[in-house]
Amino acid sequence: MFSEETLYSIALRHCPLIGDKIFRRLVAEAGSAKEVWELSKSGLSNVYRVGKRISQEIGKPEHLVFAEKEVAFCEKNKIRILLRHQGELPPQLNECEDAPAILYQKGEWKTTLQTLSIVGTRNITSYGKSFINDFLNEIKDHRVITVSGLALGVDTEVHEVSLNNGLPTIAVLAHGFHTLYPSKNRRLAEKILDNGGALFTEFNSSQKPDRENFIQRNRIIAGLSAATIVVETAFGGGSMSTATFANNYNREVFALPGRITDKFSQGCNQLIVQNKAAAISTVTLLADQLGFSKSATVGVLFPSSEVQIMLPENQKQLLAVLDRQAALSLDEICLKLDLPTYRVLPVLLQLELLGYVKALSGRQYLAL
């Protein structure tokens, strides 16, 4: 059975013009969704600076009727209703300013597992498939749960390969639990639930997979994890929005580089060039950067065996002056090396592409 607060939260969120931020402010000031609902319209207008159109909607019986039907639907289909203001969201998602007021969950997952979001284009290539297979095989023995969006292409590959490697996985949907999109992934969704994973959505059972919902969904994919990997995407691909959300949340972003002539590598290359994502150079090094490997060796991009890369002397000298905790500016690095900028910058770029250096905003650099 769901609580009264759950019922009134759904009713309040269902009111037109009440989004997650207004919902959060009202509940924070009144104390609970039920108390907001029971306030007089004049009280809402005068005390909480709510406009007339919103205040007229709060308290309308039809919203409470909708909430009662939604609660009944969730009870029948074993769907959990998580309320942000009750502290029920996954911890990392709860840190995000624009996290959903209400999150619907099907299935279970252990919050002790490290979440890792992996996204990309629906037009996945053999290059993207090889990376996903090799990377998830590399980390399969670690306590990790992958996150993606159940779309065709990269998302489907992430979920399927995770399950094949014994890793649980989370799918974030762009619609309510009354349907499933794309329909051809219905069996995959069932396998996710059967193997210790979960389905999440912020949309109630009246909401269809409308175009705008997918961008909104992407912020949850980014918010659930400390790191997001973009496998393949074009310049305007939806995964670019996921990377943007992750950057705004101060989460780590990694992108798989590709040839500049490959359409579905162009978005990844752009993220790297704009310092919005770290370049992935090898599967082994990426696993190490994410804390999934203690190995200090560096392998080829899709390794069957590992190869030690010997760094030239100028790269070794530059690495020696960098720190893992305190970032140094380009000017500070040049001063320590007693070298001009034009000689230091190319070496920094080489080390960044190799995965030894992370570039921050304002020409600041960290050793990895």
Side-chain angles (χ1 to χ4, degrees):
M1 292 292 291
F2 291 104
S3 66
E4 264 194 336
E5 184 62 11
T6 299
L7 182 71
Y8 284 103
S9 294
I10 294 172
L12 184 62
R13 185 63 180 81
H14 188 251
C15 295
L17 303 180
I18 294 187
D20 294 316
K21 289 186 177 180
I22 292 178
F23 178 99
R24 187 180 179 191
R25 177 166 62 84
L26 285 171
V27 170
E29 295 188 25
S32 70
K34 184 180 180 181
E35 288 178 271
V36 173
W37 194 261
E38 292 177 344
L39 283 170
S40 67
K41 291 179 175 57
S42 59
L44 284 168
S45 299
N46 296 334
V47 180
Y48 302 109
R49 304 180 305 282
V50 176
K52 184 178 180 181
R53 288 179 63 192
I54 293 178
S55 63
Q56 286 178 338
E57 291 291 335
I58 296 174
K60 278 189 175 181
E62 57 259 41
H63 300 308
L64 205 53
V65 170
F66 172 85
E68 289 168 349
K69 290 179 179 178
E70 188 68 14
V71 165
F73 172 82
C74 291
E75 286 177 340
K76 180 181 178 181
N77 292 281
K78 298 179 180 178
I79 297 165
R80 294 180 62 192
I81 304 173
L82 311 179
L83 305 181
R84 184 182 186 186
H85 67 284
Q86 299 281 65
E88 295 170 348
L89 294 192
Q92 287 179 318
L93 181 60
N94 190 56
E95 293 172 1
C96 305
E97 179 64 26
D98 58 353
I102 302 171
L103 189 67
Y104 299 90
Q105 175 185 335
K106 213 170 187 182
E108 298 292 335
W109 63 286
K110 297 177 181 177
T111 54
T112 54
L113 297 177
Q114 182 174 338
T115 50
L116 176 63
S117 297
I118 308 176
V119 297
T121 179
R122 287 170 169 78
N123 301 287
I124 188 171
T125 69
S126 58
Y127 176 58
K129 287 183 178 181
S130 294
F131 167 76
I132 292 169
N133 277 268
D134 289 338
F135 176 66
L136 293 181
N137 182 66
E138 177 80 13
I139 67 171
K140 66 182 179 182
D141 295 325
H142 295 270
R143 294 182 58 77
V144 59
I145 183 167
T146 60
V147 182
S148 202
L150 202 68
L152 300 178
V154 167
D155 293 13
T156 294
E157 191 76 10
V158 169
H159 295 308
E160 288 182 341
V161 176
S162 295
L163 295 173
N164 291 341
N165 281 284
L167 294 171
T169 185
I170 293 170
V172 185
L173 310 179
H175 53 75
F177 278 122
H178 62 297
T179 187
L180 191 107
Y181 178 86
S183 58
K184 68 184 301 181
N185 273 351
R186 185 172 297 279
R187 177 62 192 129
L188 176 57
E190 292 169 358
K191 285 175 65 178
I192 289 172
L193 297 176
D194 292 341
N195 288 274
L199 308 179
F200 283 119
T201 183
E202 64 180 307
F203 300 103
N204 61 52
S205 64
S206 72
Q207 293 173 288
K208 301 175 182 178
D210 294 325
R211 186 180 183 89
E212 61 271 17
N213 292 358
F214 289 90
I215 298 296
Q216 199 169 325
R217 178 273 310 269
N218 289 346
R219 84 188 196 288
I220 295 180
I221 294 176
L224 282 169
S225 302
T228 293
I229 298 171
V230 184
V231 178
E232 289 183 300
T233 186
F235 280 127
S239 300
M240 298 292 282
S241 69
T242 311
T244 299
F245 284 123
N247 275 299
N248 291 340
Y249 299 150
N250 293 317
R251 309 291 171 82
E252 288 190 292
V253 181
F254 298 86
L256 182 67
R259 294 178 299 191
I260 60 174
T261 53
D262 291 349
K263 178 180 178 181
F264 297 106
S265 287
Q266 290 171 350
C268 290
N269 292 342
Q270 183 184 38
L271 289 171
I272 294 166
V273 168
Q274 294 178 340
N275 286 330
K276 294 180 179 179
I280 297 170
S281 57
T282 71
V283 162
T284 306
L285 183 58
L286 175 61
D288 189 52
Q289 290 171 322
L290 292 168
F292 296 131
S293 173
K294 295 181 180 179
S295 171
T297 58
V298 177
V300 296
L301 189 56
F302 304 132
S304 55
S305 61
E306 292 187 344
V307 178
Q308 182 71 35
I309 294 178
M310 301 300 293
L311 296 178
E313 193 60 33
N314 62 341
Q315 292 182 2
K316 288 181 180 178
Q317 289 174 352
L318 198 155
L319 271 179
V321 305
L322 291 177
D323 190 88
R324 290 176 179 268
Q325 304 296 328
L328 291 179
S329 69
L330 178 60
D331 289 342
E332 289 171 326
I333 296 169
C334 291
L335 188 63
K336 285 178 179 287
L337 292 172
D338 193 23
L339 291 172
T341 301
Y342 74 89
R343 290 186 58 187
V344 173
L345 266 177
V347 183
L348 280 168
L349 179 58
Q350 290 164 1
L351 289 170
E352 185 182 356
L353 291 173
L354 286 171
Y356 287 102
V357 167
K358 182 175 183 179
L360 307 175
S361 60
R363 287 190 166 188
Q364 302 273 326
Y365 298 89
L366 279 174
L368 293 173

